[in-house]
């Protein structure tokens, strides 16, 4: 689904909101609000006034990893410089990785994947052996066998994944949301579940005081296809029993279920059986499209996505194509900022009776 030909370069958020001026905070971003095809321009701090008691915000508690590590591809003593983006840990101990080429300006550009059997030398004397593509025809991500503890490697030598539209490297703290909880096994997301980034502890407290509830899920996000805009690959997820209960109770009581981020939609919708959310954990390969639709999500808080991004199909499933076209025209015209440090978009159902549950 193409909403525009391109996003003007000047609309890329190059630094976090709190670095754009004195006294600014994470929640100093703009909020585009869509109710059907009606669009309103708000500040993110106005979110509590847009929700109501009984609504549930579903949030992803996955922590962001320092998933980018420098390496050298090929035999010693030379080799070609590469940057390894660690994406997802497999059940067999392998990791899905993306190799990228340093661009000389602090970021990276894409390179061909593979070849099978190639060795990448990593800091601290560890190595990574490329095994096979993650999936048939998937040249970007490869399964690889590390000979080191990857969470320890990332903790010691990694940095957050950064793309060329950002101005400079940021600390890992800049990529953590207020909801992030470290996993006991060191798992996490290769890239930040960025829809939750503007939330602060103060805003969460205000929402709770107004009767809005928070329901945690986990979905460890893999490396995004920043250039190729591929559909998402299978990812690890968990929907706890308490979250299933909260969501089902809200729906029974007429409350709205609003997912914070496309990752929260993917996790929650992966746990639906016959219209009811069940506790679930494992891998999900669900791709939410307009044809599939959504079963339990009423609304979505998300960032602004590139014109070719596969996530737009999910947004269309939640809100419909006319609403998206109207919203994105308003976002470009209103000079909203894109990407993980940018502004956010709240898609809500049109006012009226709570929609029928399926």
């Amino acid at each position: 689904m193409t909403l525009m030909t391109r996003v003007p370069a000047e609309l890329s958020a190059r630094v976090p909101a709190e670095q754009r001026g004195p006294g600014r905070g994470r929640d100093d971003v703009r909020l585009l609000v869509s109710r059907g095809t009606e669009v309103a321009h708000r500040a993110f701090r106005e979110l509590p006034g847009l929700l109501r008691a009984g609504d549930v915000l579903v949030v992803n508690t996955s922590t962001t990893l320092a998933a980018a590590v420098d390496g050298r591809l090929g035999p010693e003593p030379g080799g070609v410089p590469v940057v390894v983006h660690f994406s997802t840990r497999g059940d067999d101990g392998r990791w899905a990785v993306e190799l990228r080429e340093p661009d000389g300006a602090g970021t990276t550009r894409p390179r061909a994947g593979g070849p099978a059997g190639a060795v990448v030398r990593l800091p601290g004397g560890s190595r990574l052996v490329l095994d096979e593509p993650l999936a048939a025809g998937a040249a970007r991500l490869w399964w690889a066998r590390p000979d080191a503890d990857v969470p320890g490697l990332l903790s010691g030598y990694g940095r957050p994944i950064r793309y060329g539209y950002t101005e400079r490297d940021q600390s890992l703290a800049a990529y953590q949301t207020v909801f992030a909880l470290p996993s006991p096994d060191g798992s996490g997301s290769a890239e930040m579940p960025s829809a939750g980034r503007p939330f602060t502890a103060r805003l969460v407290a205000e929402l709770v005081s107004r009767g809005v509830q928070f329901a945690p899920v986990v979905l460890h996000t893999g490396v995004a296809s920043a250039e190729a805009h591929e559909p998402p690959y299978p990812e690890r997820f968990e929907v706890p029993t308490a979250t299933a209960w909260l969501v089902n109770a809200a729906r029974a009581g007429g409350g709205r279920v609003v997912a914070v981020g496309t990752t929260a939609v993917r996790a929650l919708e992966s746990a639906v059986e016959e219209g009811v959310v069940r506790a679930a954990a494992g891998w999900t390969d669900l791709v939410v499209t307009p044809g599939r639709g959504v079963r339990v999500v009423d609304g979505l808080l998300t960032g602004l996505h590139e014109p070719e991004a596969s996530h737009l199909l999910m947004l269309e499933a939640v809100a419909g194509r006319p609403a998206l076209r109207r919203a994105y025209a308003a976002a470009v015209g209103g000079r909203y900022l894109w990407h993980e440090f940018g502004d956010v978009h709240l898609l809500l159902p049109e006012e009226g009776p709570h929609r029928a549950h399926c």
Side-chain angles (χ1 to χ4, degrees):
M1 175 184 181
T2 301
L3 298 176
M4 67 205 89
T5 56
R6 66 181 183 88
V7 178
E10 65 270 19
L11 297 187
S12 293
R14 297 179 59 78
V15 296
E18 60 271 24
Q19 296 177 19
R20 293 182 203 140
R24 293 179 64 92
R26 282 182 172 228
D27 53 358
D28 279 307
V29 296
R30 299 170 70 190
L31 179 64
L32 185 70
V33 182
S34 294
R35 284 190 177 91
T37 56
E38 296 298 316
V39 177
H41 302 277
R42 301 292 189 97
F44 183 73
R45 289 175 178 170
E46 297 179 72
L47 179 64
L50 300 171
L51 301 176
R52 59 194 184 213
D55 288 345
V56 171
L57 288 173
V58 181
V59 297
N60 187 0
T61 61
S62 179
T63 191
T64 308
L65 302 175
V69 178
D70 293 325
R72 284 193 169 268
L73 178 65
E76 296 186 75
V80 178
V82 292
V83 176
V84 183
H85 288 177
F86 285 85
S87 181
T88 306
R89 175 162 48 191
D91 292 333
D92 58 2
R94 297 187 298 176
W95 277 75
V97 302
E98 179 187 24
L99 300 191
R100 292 179 66 93
E101 181 180 312
D103 66 359
T107 57
T108 60
R109 49 181 169 251
R111 65 175 294 281
V119 176
V120 180
R121 288 177 283 122
L122 300 170
S126 57
R127 293 170 180 261
L128 188 74
V129 180
L130 299 181
D131 209 353
E132 60 183 345
L134 184 65
R140 185 175 64 90
L141 290 173
W142 279 61
W143 285 116
R145 297 184 181 276
D147 66 358
D149 170 62
V150 171
L153 176 75
L154 301 184
S155 178
Y157 300 102
R159 61 185 180 277
I161 290 174
R162 175 191 161 206
Y163 295 110
Y165 51 77
T166 55
E167 184 174 292
R168 57 182 177 268
D169 286 345
Q170 299 287 339
S171 69
L172 185 58
Y175 290 88
Q176 302 294 4
T177 74
V178 71
F179 307 113
L181 294 172
S183 297
D185 64 356
S187 297
S189 289
E191 298 185 12
M192 171 176 56
S194 55
R197 189 183 192 279
F199 284 87
T200 62
R202 179 175 180 175
L203 188 66
V204 169
E206 182 178 352
L207 285 160
V208 170
S209 73
R210 289 173 177 247
V212 176
Q213 300 185 81
F214 285 83
V217 297
V218 175
L219 188 131
H220 295 316
T221 66
V223 175
S225 54
E227 295 86 13
H229 300 297
E230 303 157 344
Y233 290 103
E235 294 168 315
R236 289 184 179 275
F237 83 104
E238 180 182 1
V239 175
T241 300
T243 288
W245 186 90
L246 274 173
V247 170
N248 292 330
R251 288 170 57 77
R256 297 172 297 183
V257 177
V258 179
V260 177
T262 58
T263 62
V265 176
R266 194 182 200 199
L268 191 64
E269 292 283 328
S270 296
V272 178
E273 294 181 13
E274 299 180 350
V276 177
V277 180
R278 312 282 187 189
W283 291 85
T284 177
D285 59 2
L286 176 65
V287 178
V288 178
T289 64
R292 188 266 184 191
V294 288
R295 307 287 192 262
V296 296
V297 170
D298 298 305
L300 172 61
L301 180 72
T302 184
L304 295 163
H305 301 278
E306 294 280 359
E308 304 88 358
S310 61
H311 289 313
L312 288 173
L313 292 174
M314 180 185 291
L315 272 63
E316 186 180 348
V318 173
R321 181 170 295 191
L324 280 195
R325 290 195 183 281
R326 181 73 179 273
Y328 272 68
V332 173
R335 313 298 287 173
Y336 279 68
L337 296 180
W338 257 252
H339 302 303
E340 65 266 32
F341 298 137
D343 297 315
V344 283
H345 182 196
L346 177 63
L347 300 99
L348 291 173
E350 295 183 71
E351 292 296 328
H354 190 64
R355 78 181 190 192
H357 298 157
C358 50

